Amino acid sequence: MVQCRYQRLHVNRKPDLIVRGGRISSLDENGEPQVRCYGQLLGAFYGLMSLWTDSGRWLVPAGHSAWIPPKHPYMLRSYEPFSGRAAYILKESCLTLPQRPCSFATSGLLREAMLCVDGSESGSCDPEQNLIAMIICQEIRKRPQTRVGIPLPNDRRLLRITTAIADNPADNRRLDEWARWTGMSTRTLVRRFLQETGLSFTEWRQQVRLMRAMEWLAGGRSVTTVALDLGYNTVSAFIAMFRRAVGMTPTAYLNGLLTPSTSAGDSVPARRLNADMAMGERLP
């Protein structure tokens, strides 16, 4: 009798977490603020994504996750190539989770949990999936919050520049050329860029390139290929930049890099974030 009651409690309860099957291959929101009635955990496994909310705008690199609580306006964009994982948490389970958007480093436990959970199409969740959901919620609660990556400006003209650079970090246009491209004076661009990001234009572009370099190196590209793809004229110039920023050469970084394990659940066909899913009508 006790065992049957236990089973009913677990089989009949609503799922704590809903995740779209397959990897996220891109984030293709339409540029307008979105609002969802459920919480969203978006993990970037490779590439960059930008998260814009009323509390700020920032880039989230690979190895980090973004949390968006229910009913909170946001905009998302990815910079190709991009892949990751998305988990949707019912609003009833979000009461003890952060109430404002945030980002944090993805722990190995959180990554594996996101890869293991398969969601439910029947409106019920078995004990194993409930346990995985509890692990994910616990990781969201305890991970130190930080706006990782680099800040994005609010000025639309500066956003044009930062978006273009994030899309193509090899773009070597000079500061005055960027200013003319957006209809700003060079002095205004320099002043506004520092005010809105806390970084000079040169520092900001270098941080984007450094982020991309780490991702591409981890993805298997050679040091020479990364240097050229980032727009450096010589490999030695890229190595010098990397050493100044990271404290070691790209080769030393690669030698010490621990590649995250790949779960079998990550080998399913890629799907876009906005693709229809079977239980979409059951989302709150």
Side-chain angles (χ1 to χ4, degrees):
M1 181 69 68
V2 174
Q3 183 177 3
C4 291
R5 185 180 300 124
Y6 173 82
Q7 289 176 345
R8 284 198 300 271
L9 283 173
H10 287 272
V11 172
N12 295 329
R13 68 174 295 179
K14 294 174 67 177
D16 292 308
L17 180 146
I18 302 170
V19 65
R20 205 179 295 267
R23 292 178 291 186
I24 305 171
S25 60
S26 65
L27 300 168
D28 56 352
E29 299 287 8
N30 59 16
E32 296 296 327
Q34 308 291 315
V35 179
R36 299 288 184 261
C37 295
Y38 45 87
Q40 299 179 81
L41 178 65
L42 303 172
F45 289 0
Y46 185 87
L48 289 171
M49 62 180 175
S50 60
L51 174 61
W52 302 358
T53 75
D54 58 6
S55 59
R57 308 181 181 198
W58 63 98
L59 289 174
V60 180
H64 293 78
S65 296
W67 165 247
I68 307 170
K71 300 290 188 178
H72 204 106
Y74 70 93
M75 289 190 292
L76 283 169
R77 179 180 175 179
S78 63
Y79 302 88
E80 302 298 340
F82 175 85
S83 66
R85 196 82 174 187
Y88 302 95
I89 300 175
L90 296 180
K91 59 184 178 183
E92 294 86 355
S93 300
C94 295
L95 297 178
T96 61
L97 302 180
Q99 298 302 297
R100 298 193 66 80
C102 62
S103 58
F104 42 81
T106 305
S107 67
L109 178 61
L110 179 58
R111 175 188 166 91
E112 292 303 317
M114 292 181 72
L115 290 172
C116 288
V117 70
D118 58 15
S120 170
E121 296 186 8
S122 62
S124 62
C125 204
D126 60 35
E128 180 182 346
Q129 290 297 302
N130 275 327
L131 178 59
I132 294 173
M134 290 172 60
I135 291 173
I136 290 177
C137 289
Q138 177 63 20
E139 286 294 292
I140 295 174
R141 277 191 290 269
K142 77 175 187 178
R143 299 303 299 169
Q145 298 179 20
T146 177
R147 293 185 183 181
V148 293
I150 53 179
L152 293 174
N154 290 303
D155 187 292
R156 290 185 178 274
R157 296 166 298 179
L158 298 183
L159 274 174
R160 283 190 67 200
I161 296 174
T162 54
T163 298
I165 294 173
D167 281 334
N168 178 24
D171 194 324
N172 277 319
R173 273 181 278 184
R174 300 188 308 271
L175 194 61
D176 59 331
E177 293 176 306
W178 285 114
R180 286 197 299 271
W181 186 60
T182 54
M184 305 173 70
S185 69
T186 303
R187 180 177 298 180
T188 299
L189 190 155
V190 170
R191 176 174 53 82
R192 293 294 298 270
F193 209 98
L194 185 60
Q195 286 177 345
E196 297 206 14
T197 68
L199 299 170
S200 70
F201 172 80
T202 301
E203 291 170 334
W204 194 95
R205 179 161 60 182
Q206 179 174 299
Q207 288 299 311
V208 170
R209 288 176 169 175
L210 180 63
M211 250 187 236
R212 284 297 200 188
M214 289 180 169
E215 291 157 15
W216 290 346
L217 289 170
R221 298 193 197 186
S222 69
V223 173
T224 299
T225 299
V226 171
L228 296 177
D229 287 348
L230 288 176
Y232 285 88
N233 293 324
T234 64
V235 177
S236 59
F238 165 67
I239 293 175
M241 180 280 293
F242 197 96
R243 186 198 293 270
R244 286 194 303 271
V246 182
M248 64 182 74
T249 65
T251 300
Y253 170 79
L254 271 177
N255 291 337
L257 189 65
L258 295 177
T259 304
S261 62
T262 301
S263 168
D266 200 28
S267 60
V268 294
R271 299 183 185 178
R272 299 180 73 83
L273 178 64
N274 286 344
D276 293 335
M277 66 176 179
M279 68 175 305
E281 68 277 9
R282 295 191 177 92
L283 289 174

